[in-house]
Amino acid sequence: MALHIGFLAVPALLVLGLVGVAAYAIRYDLGDGLRAGFAALLVGASVAMVLRGVLRAGHPPRRGVVVDGESQPQLWRRLRKVAETAEAARPDELRVTCEPALRWRERTRLLGLLRRESHLELGLPLLAGLTVTELSALLAGEIGRADGGGPDALANRIRTAVIAAERDMIGGPTKWLFSGYATLFRRITAPLARGRIMRGDAVAVRMAGKRTTMAALRKQVGLELGWEDYSAEYLSMATRVERTPEVLPGFRAFLEHQERKHGLAERAKESIAAEEPADAALPTVAQRLDVLRRATHEPEETDDRPALALIREPRREIPAIEDRLLVDDLGARASWPELARLAGQHDVAVKAGALSSAVEQSGVSVEPTIVGVLTAIHRGEGADLINPALNPGLAPELVDDAVVDTMTDLLGAAVVDALIRAERAQHELDWGGPSTVRLADGRALDPDQLVRPAVVDPRLVPGLHRYLVHLGVPLDHAQPAAEEPEPRLSGLVSPVRFAEESYDLLVTDRGMLLLPDRTRWMYRLLAGALTPVRRSEHERLEQLATTPVNRLRELEGAQWVDSRDVATADLREEGADWKLTLDLYLDEYSVSEVAPRAAEPDESDVPEDEELTRIRIRSLPDSGTRGTPYSGLGELMGARMKTPEKNHQFE
């Protein structure tokens, strides 16, 4: 605390000292006094600008839906009881979010020295997967470590504010100076922060007992893993078909499926055992469980009701909260069976279109129908036909397996699409895995098992042909060739150096987009100190991240490097920065859009292959990231990427 007060006070004392020197000097020499006064004014303005930028950074955004005590009295009674047990103040607000986590957040003054207001974020998925007592344990742990009074609670609040402020800043002298202080403060307070987490666990044991606290920690890990799977496999259905799902009831059904329940429990154990300590201030779940095993307290009674029992009128209130949490209006509400049917129909149609597109691009002389594809496979041309649909970054040793897997996937989807169009099949919801294809007579159809043998051994194609006729598959079925898919953004790096100019680098799943960074260097320096400038820069990057990539490609000066034109990629670290070298095929067949001046060869280092063109992209000291651009770049380049053995950018 003394360190932090000194950090704020020393600049102020420096300015006051300069003012005193100026006042003293002006009594003896007006010129010297004025020069000293001007120096004091200049230093004072600089200090004020830097401190203003630091003190206004890091305020957490208000997320989620506010739930007050009048609308949900039982939930607030439980929260007050937990706060009393933790000997802490209850939060000013309770906000329900869509993440499987609990977070105590505070808005402060003077980087945590003075508290303004606090709110607790409660993840809706936790209500679906925990009992009332288990939720109480997690609440007690979070409130107990975040609040509770005393100088250690104040120091921990300062630590949180300092870390948040550093994370929020954009490059410039302000961030460079403040990052040194933030690093020092983190290291000094790491043991304190670790102790606060252990204090929270101790409060949880007093509230719910040892066994329940340990079970709640394990369950939270399982719920985080389950929510990832549920979002990827089921909530994504709603986005694809533009329907609003029943989020929480669906997650409960997902968790209650026996195979899912067993699988998530096993994965949670493995995740806890494999967790590495990322920070000296953050003990792993396994370390916390080891400490909890030595506890002895067990409560006389536990409340094993689902945590949803704390919600008044859940059938009405939960959908209302979910509607308010949705950022975009997805459309009319739909039941999960209907969502599975619509999403399955949509997915196979998209894959059938991708198969038609591959046929057209391959140059193989067959129609893009099911019978045409079977003919190509029977003639031994399956690999040539499916090649346009393969990832150009595949390692050579993986190509053969990828040919079989991709052909099986797309051809199987085309068969199912044909059956659906003929009203002979539809998709059926399965909480244990992918939706089942159910034929009109009630039998389940596995398209992979149906198609794969013939893809592997073309001699089996006639047998597959006869069976498809028996199923009633219209073999002349084909979807129109799919259009070039919209690139999906992995992340961005801003700024980078390309062709001796500053650019924003956007990494997508189909290539890289470089946009001229028209931000002036002085503006970027001020972004570290002035809140409006920093907010404006954040908004600019957010707009880039949310604008469709194809629309950004139309901007003046945009440079597009398509993944299909990349021969090799080489990433090298240069101290804290990195350099990416790309060798490209830029001929009449390329789809990249790189200005000639950006692709001029370097006389000292040119590609061995004269048909290739070399370009370079470098990071800058001020480079910042949004999303996961480095992992996205690794996935985009695949086996074409060369990196040193120890490359922290891609770990």
Side-chain angles (χ1 to χ4, degrees), residues 234-457:
Y234 295 94
L235 290 183
S236 60
M237 292 181 185
T239 305
R240 296 199 297 273
V241 300
E242 297 183 344
R243 294 290 190 277
T244 301
E246 298 171 336
V247 180
L248 206 60
F251 190 47
R252 282 183 60 81
F254 173 89
L255 295 174
E256 290 170 359
H257 191 278
Q258 287 303 314
E259 291 182 12
R260 294 287 189 183
K261 186 182 296 186
H262 176 73
L264 288 175
E266 291 299 318
R267 287 174 59 198
K269 289 180 183 178
E270 294 171 1
S271 177
I272 291 171
E275 184 183 5
E276 296 288 340
D279 189 335
L282 301 174
T284 65
V285 175
Q287 291 170 339
R288 295 168 67 184
L289 292 173
D290 286 340
V291 174
L292 286 170
R293 287 188 182 96
R294 297 194 290 270
T296 57
H297 176 74
E298 291 295 344
E300 296 181 359
E301 296 182 359
T302 58
D303 191 339
D304 294 328
R305 293 178 300 159
L308 275 175
L310 297 176
I311 301 295
R312 185 171 68 178
E313 299 185 42
R315 292 182 180 275
R316 180 174 63 87
E317 291 295 328
I318 294 298
I321 293 174
E322 291 175 355
D323 286 342
R324 293 167 65 190
L325 284 173
L326 289 174
V327 176
D328 299 316
D329 183 12
L330 294 178
R333 280 196 168 270
S335 66
W336 280 107
E338 182 183 2
L339 272 175
R341 180 178 58 80
L342 293 174
Q345 180 178 333
H346 169 274
D347 294 346
V348 294
V350 169
K351 290 181 179 180
L355 181 61
S356 298
S357 179
V359 172
E360 290 186 1
Q361 296 176 35
S362 68
V364 177
S365 58
V366 294
E367 293 295 322
T369 59
I370 295 175
V371 69
V373 174
L374 291 176
T375 301
I377 296 173
H378 195 227
R379 294 196 312 228
E381 298 177 316
D384 295 332
L385 185 147
I386 207 65
N387 183 65
L390 299 181
N391 183 346
L394 278 173
E397 63 272 16
L398 300 178
V399 171
D400 290 342
D401 289 340
V403 165
V404 173
D405 292 340
T406 306
M407 177 62 83
T408 300
D409 184 33
L410 298 188
L411 179 57
V415 169
V416 175
D417 184 52
L419 287 169
I420 291 175
R421 302 290 172 178
E423 298 184 354
R424 295 177 179 272
Q426 65 178 10
H427 286 81
E428 185 178 90
L429 178 67
D430 183 358
W431 289 115
S435 298
T436 303
V437 178
R438 187 73 62 184
L439 297 174
D441 60 7
R443 290 180 297 158
L445 175 68
D446 185 343
D448 185 280
Q449 188 177 8
L450 174 67
V451 170
R452 185 176 292 273
V455 174
V456 174
D457 185 356

Side-chain angles (χ1 to χ4, degrees), residues 105-248:
R105 297 186 182 273
E106 291 181 305
R107 299 180 71 84
T108 63
R109 294 188 180 93
L110 300 178
L111 286 180
L113 203 57
L114 300 175
R115 174 179 167 182
R116 292 171 58 188
E117 59 185 31
S118 63
H119 66 266
L120 182 69
E121 294 179 359
L122 169 61
L124 202 58
L126 297 181
L127 296 174
L130 298 175
T131 67
V132 171
T133 306
E134 288 168 346
L135 178 63
S136 299
L138 293 183
L139 287 170
E142 185 66 17
I143 294 176
R145 73 173 176 176
D147 204 351
D152 60 333
L154 174 57
N156 188 63
R157 185 167 71 233
I158 294 172
R159 171 190 169 87
T160 303
V162 167
I163 293 173
E166 182 193 21
R167 188 183 302 118
D168 187 48
M169 286 182 178
I170 295 175
T174 302
K175 183 168 185 176
W176 303 339
L177 293 171
F178 186 70
S179 292
Y181 170 70
T183 300
L184 174 64
F185 199 89
R186 277 201 306 269
R187 290 178 179 174
I188 291 176
T189 57
L192 171 66
R194 187 183 183 92
R196 294 296 300 184
I197 293 175
M198 296 304 183
R199 179 190 185 277
D201 289 345
V203 174
V205 170
R206 290 206 311 269
M207 180 76 197
K210 177 180 78 172
R211 290 192 184 90
T212 302
T213 301
M214 294 176 68
L217 287 176
R218 294 191 186 100
K219 268 192 176 183
Q220 186 175 17
V221 174
L223 288 173
E224 290 171 357
L225 295 172
W227 184 256
E228 291 179 4
D229 294 345
Y230 176 68
S231 299
E233 298 176 30
Y234 295 94
L235 290 183
S236 60
M237 292 181 185
T239 305
R240 296 199 297 273
V241 300
E242 297 183 344
R243 294 290 190 277
T244 301
E246 298 171 336
V247 180
L248 206 60

